[in-house]
Amino acid sequence: TRLVYFDETDSTNTRARKLAEEGAPHGTLVVADRQTAGKGRRGKSWVSPAGTGIWMSMVLRPSMSPMSASMLTLIAGLAVVRGVKESTGLEAMIKWPNDAVLNGKKICGILTEMSTEVECIRYVIPGIGINVNMDGFPEEIKATATSLKLEAGRSIKRSLVIAAVADNFEYYYDIFMKTCDMSGLRDDYNKSLVNLGREVLVLDPRGQYKGKALGIDGEGSLLVRREDGNVSAVISGEVSV
Ligand code: BTN
């Protein structure tokens, strides 16, 4: 793995994209101490102050369909949860599709970007943000965000977490590559799924509905048993607990 480190950058995802365009090889890891324009999902910004968090993005060049590649975001979530456990002992859980939560509050968000060409992947950039040593959060996210330090009651060494997450990503990526889907990993994933067996609200653009989360299937979709007994596969989007 090639590691590219910045004290400061706009966004490690944007940086990783640029490096990928310039030919950076598969496995390049981009890490920054501080992001000045950290990006969240749905056009939101991501608070990324210096010294307290992990802001990292990977350049991957798998040969597979965009559909398969989109599942790499689930692999990243799994790698975070297992990497955090190994390096800190904290048992974070996955909130489908790829947030990591501790005691119901978010400690990690993942933004995956990709570039495709005629249904072929040029590169995929999973970007991972982990709240590590923050002592508090801005008013707007205070109720829903936490950090590893706040949960563990002690400071956490970021380099250990980065190494553990990267190691776990490699481990799960190799299993994923055997089938290019989640069939070999759905049990592992569902074991860490905070939504499992719980009531969820599916925010489907065609209409919201409630149901019980049954876990993901081999395609990475969340299976939800609706109140009428039918099971729906939620391909992408949001569920709220
Ligand atoms: C979310 O909205 O939950 C996704 C947040 C993703 C944040 C990470 S931090 C590293 C990488 N670079 C970015 O600009 N965003 C991702």
Side-chain angles (χ1 to χ4, degrees), residues 63-231:
S63 52
M64 57 176 64
S65 67
M67 172 80 130
S68 287
S70 64
M71 292 178 219
L72 288 168
T73 200
L74 305 176
I75 302 296
L78 190 53
V80 167
V81 162
R82 298 298 160 89
V84 164
K85 169 84 187 142
E86 279 175 25
S87 55
T88 69
L90 291 166
E91 302 223 22
M93 300 287 278
I94 302 169
K95 182 169 167 262
W96 186 86
N98 54 17
D99 285 352
V101 296
L102 261 169
N103 298 320
K105 291 181 165 187
K106 184 158 164 168
I107 53 133
C108 165
I110 297 170
L111 175 71
T112 300
E113 299 180 57
M114 52 177 132
S115 168
T116 58
E117 191 169 65
V118 234
E119 287 302 291
C120 271
I121 294 292
R122 292 180 62 231
Y123 55 80
V124 185
I125 314 279
I128 300 174
I130 308 177
N131 300 329
V132 183
N133 287 322
M134 288 82 172
D135 294 307
F137 290 90
E139 201 57 44
E140 321 84 74
I141 54 172
K142 220 174 170 168
T144 53
T146 189
S147 70
L148 299 180
K149 181 181 180 185
L150 286 169
E151 299 302 317
R154 62 183 170 90
S155 294
I156 303 289
K157 207 171 154 79
R158 285 177 296 165
S159 55
L160 296 181
V161 181
I162 295 172
V165 170
D167 268 3
N168 274 277
F169 187 87
E170 227 175 293
Y171 171 78
Y172 290 115
Y173 182 83
D174 287 346
I175 298 175
F176 175 79
M177 287 307 286
K178 289 184 188 155
T179 54
C180 293
D181 66 18
M182 293 302 285
S183 53
L185 290 169
R186 59 184 289 197
D187 290 350
D188 271 1
Y189 185 93
N190 288 335
K191 258 183 234 159
S192 292
L193 188 62
V194 73
N195 313 91
L196 193 72
R198 292 202 194 165
E199 168 113 336
V200 290
L201 177 67
V202 180
L203 308 173
D204 189 313
R206 293 163 299 177
Q208 301 187 359
Y209 57 90
K210 274 191 198 156
K212 186 177 162 183
L214 306 177
I216 61 161
D217 63 12
E219 266 73 59
S221 299
L222 185 67
L223 300 176
V224 176
R225 180 177 299 120
R226 306 170 69 131
E227 280 162 337
D228 63 9
N230 290 322
V231 176

